[in-house]
Amino acid sequence: LAAVLGLAVAALAGAEAAGRAAEISFSATRVLNTEAILHAAGMLLALGLLGLALPALALAARRAGRWAGAALAAALTLSALAWAGELLLAALQRDILDITATRVSAVAWATAAAPALVYVLLGLALALAALGYLRREAPPAAHPSAAVAERLRRAHRVGARRVRDLALACVALLGLGVGYQEVWASRPPTLSAAQAVTPDAEGHVVIPIAPVADGNLHRYAFVASDGHRVRFFLINRYDASHVRMGVVFDSCMICGDEGYIQDGNEIVCIACNVHLFRPSIGKAGGCNPIPLDHEVRGDAIVIRAADLERGARYFSEVVEIEVRDPVNGRALTNTKAPFQYEFKGRTFFFDSRESYDAFRAAPETYAGDTVGRLWRVQGFQGREG
């Protein structure tokens, strides 16, 4: 029975692995380079470890006796529960079964527990391998020759120890691989800290070129009048001898405001993982960051605060700031305002229903000089007002 169940589980796991492999790109490139070679080597190493671990665990299980059966039963039960949750979810999605609170709870429990399954299975395998060190094995059959009997006993001990060591080492290596994937390799990329900037008395943000001409991505953040946090970055597109600054919003016209990170000489869109050659930064189109109007004055980059304001709708993050009701002039907090209204792409905040209604009735009276903001929808750019 255990053998039949084991074969069934292996078949299901093989089908699932094949299905997932078909959905995942083996490499981000189609040429034979270092990346492709490292990916291939990693796959071969993983398959080799699995191929080595299976016979080692089988031998360890044979020496573990009834504990091996208990470990196998626990592994099969946990795997069956995880697959049952996936099957139940598929049945609910396709209206094969009616949606009930109990079934939804079962799917939620199975989904929440599924990521921990691999660690439980590794723990069972580790316990199985460790039992080999605790269990005393029957000595080999007696032999008429004392010298031969001693050699047989020594060979038996050495062989048993090697099997235990091999099983334990394989499980430990697989555990390290899974742990590396969970703790490090699967971490999403994160944006570097953005330096806060404020405009001067003339309404300009001035950034000296020399400190940012090193070829690295330098990220900044400007808080718009309604609290939108507008990120932008500067990067020298060439080298120290040929300074050509790219000045762009940290947002993609296609993918949105997840931002960009630097990988060597390339800039990477976090949302879609497109790698952009550094000299292309500052050009419009595709997954390039949205160009930001600016002016080079001597040894500094000058950006108008009004141009940063116009790009506020490219970003979704809103920070808490003090604003004023445009009708009665009272101060209030943007995130706690009881009423708000959008006009020409900018959000206005009100502390009372009366102010809100008055503004809605005649917005030009209170905010007629507001410059319309830019917006993006699925790659298309426009302007409010």
Side-chain angles (χ1 to χ4, degrees):
L1 178 60
V4 171
L5 288 175
L7 288 173
V9 170
L12 288 172
E16 182 179 0
R20 293 190 179 184
E23 299 173 358
I24 300 175
S25 298
F26 177 71
S27 175
T29 178
R30 295 186 178 182
V31 299
L32 184 62
N33 58 9
T34 304
E35 181 186 17
I37 293 173
L38 288 175
H39 284 184
M43 293 290 292
L44 292 175
L45 176 62
L47 292 174
L49 283 174
L50 287 172
L52 191 64
L54 290 176
L57 285 173
L59 289 172
R62 189 182 67 185
R63 289 178 166 83
R66 65 180 182 274
W67 293 106
L72 178 61
L76 292 176
T77 301
L78 292 172
S79 301
L81 289 174
W83 279 315
E86 294 183 8
L87 289 175
L88 180 57
L89 176 60
L92 295 177
Q93 290 174 333
R94 291 163 176 77
D95 293 329
I96 298 174
L97 294 175
D98 294 332
I99 297 177
T100 65
T102 301
R103 289 168 181 168
V104 171
S105 298
V107 169
W109 180 89
T111 303
L117 177 61
V118 63
Y119 296 102
V120 175
L121 296 178
L122 280 173
L124 288 172
L126 182 63
L128 191 63
L131 280 173
Y133 288 93
L134 304 176
R135 183 180 174 85
R136 282 186 166 275
E137 301 181 32
H143 194 277
S145 170
V148 172
E150 179 58 28
R151 286 197 299 272
L152 288 175
R153 284 193 295 271
R154 188 180 301 113
H156 183 73
R157 289 195 302 270
V158 171
R161 186 177 66 250
R162 286 176 178 174
V163 168
R164 293 193 297 264
D165 292 346
L166 180 60
L168 199 59
C170 288
V171 175
L173 284 174
L174 290 171
L176 287 174
V178 173
Y180 170 76
Q181 169 67 21
E182 183 71 21
V183 174
W184 180 259
S186 63
R187 291 192 312 171
T190 56
L191 297 178
S192 58
Q195 180 180 338
V197 295
T198 55
D200 58 19
E202 298 179 352
H204 295 148
V205 172
V206 180
I207 301 174
I209 293 177
V212 298
D214 54 4
N216 295 323
L217 186 153
H218 296 267
R219 201 182 320 270
Y220 299 88
F222 166 83
V223 179
S225 55
D226 57 1
H228 277 88
R229 187 169 183 261
V230 180
R231 301 191 315 272
F232 64 97
F233 67 85
L234 277 64
I235 188 169
N236 182 10
R237 296 182 293 150
Y238 298 103
D239 55 39
S241 302
H242 306 85
V243 177
R244 298 290 187 276
M245 298 303 300
V247 183
V248 291
F249 288 107
D250 193 20
S251 179
C252 173
M253 185 60 68
I254 298 174
C255 302
D257 64 343
E258 291 194 38
Y260 296 81
I261 58 174
Q262 185 172 10
D263 183 11
N265 203 38
E266 295 178 328
I267 302 300
V268 184
C269 175
I270 291 180
C272 65
N273 199 39
V274 164
H275 288 235
L276 307 166
F277 194 39
R278 202 172 71 190
S280 71
I281 302 302
K283 299 178 181 179
C287 258
N288 276 317
I290 301 169
L292 172 58
D293 290 341
H294 64 282
E295 182 182 350
V296 179
R297 294 183 186 175
D299 57 356
I301 297 290
V302 179
I303 306 169
R304 295 194 313 152
D307 290 324
L308 292 169
E309 284 274 355
R310 291 174 68 233
R313 290 193 62 178
Y314 292 144
F315 299 89
S316 57
E317 182 184 1
V318 176
V319 299
E320 185 175 286
I321 62 171
E322 183 181 282
V323 295
R324 291 197 173 272
D325 186 315
V327 177
N328 57 34
R330 292 173 185 162
L332 67 160
T333 303
N334 61 336
T335 57
K336 300 175 182 177
F339 301 94
Q340 60 185 46
Y341 185 76
E342 191 171 286
F343 175 63
K344 291 187 178 182
R346 175 181 167 183
T347 304
F348 292 87
F349 304 91
F350 311 91
D351 69 346
S352 67
R353 183 78 189 192
E354 291 76 15
S355 294
Y356 172 72
D357 290 338
F359 187 92
R360 286 190 62 189
E364 293 286 350
T365 302
Y366 304 98
D369 59 347
T370 299
V371 177
R373 288 180 171 176
L374 301 171
W375 52 265
R376 55 159 294 277
V377 178
Q378 297 179 343
F380 296 97
Q381 187 179 43
R383 177 173 171 174
E384 292 282 356

